[in-house]
């Protein structure tokens, strides 16, 4: 059985991973919304950051990584 502190740290790491995944999914959703507006002939004036990638922190059992995603 793991030490209680190891179990807590493991759960905190899982939370960090899930938060990074959620952040990435939110960025993908926003990119899809922008694409839908463009395809429908709408405007993207309310979304000036859509043209730049956003840094998203991810964690994978060996350390932190940063990847770029398009909002």
């Amino acid at each position: 059985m793991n030490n209680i502190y190891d179990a807590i740290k493991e759960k905190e790491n899982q939370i960090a991973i899930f938060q990074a995944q959620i952040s990435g999914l939110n960025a993908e959703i926003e990119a899809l919304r922008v694409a839908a507006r463009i395809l429908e002939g709408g405007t993207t004036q309310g979304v000036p950051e859509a043209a730049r990638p956003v840094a998203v922190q991810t964690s994978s059992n060996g350390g932190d990584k940063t990847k770029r995603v398009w909002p």
Side-chain angles (χ1 to χ4, degrees), residues 38-51:
I38 292 169
L39 289 173
E40 291 173 351
T43 180
T44 59
Q45 286 181 346
V47 190
E49 70 278 359

Side-chain angles (χ1 to χ4, degrees), residues 1-66:
M1 181 175 201
N2 284 351
N3 178 328
I4 189 76
Y5 298 108
D6 292 339
I8 291 170
K9 184 65 177 169
E10 182 179 331
K11 294 300 178 184
E12 289 173 341
N13 288 339
Q14 288 177 348
I15 289 170
I17 291 168
F18 291 144
Q19 287 173 333
Q21 290 173 341
I22 289 168
S23 180
L25 289 171
N26 281 334
E28 289 179 32
I29 288 169
E30 187 58 32
L32 289 170
R33 287 182 178 143
V34 170
R37 277 187 236 129
I38 292 169
L39 289 173
E40 291 173 351
T43 180
T44 59
Q45 286 181 346
V47 190
E49 70 278 359
R52 314 179 248 151
V54 176
V56 176
Q57 292 289 88
T58 60
S59 178
S60 62
N61 295 340
D64 291 340
K65 293 187 213 173
T66 299

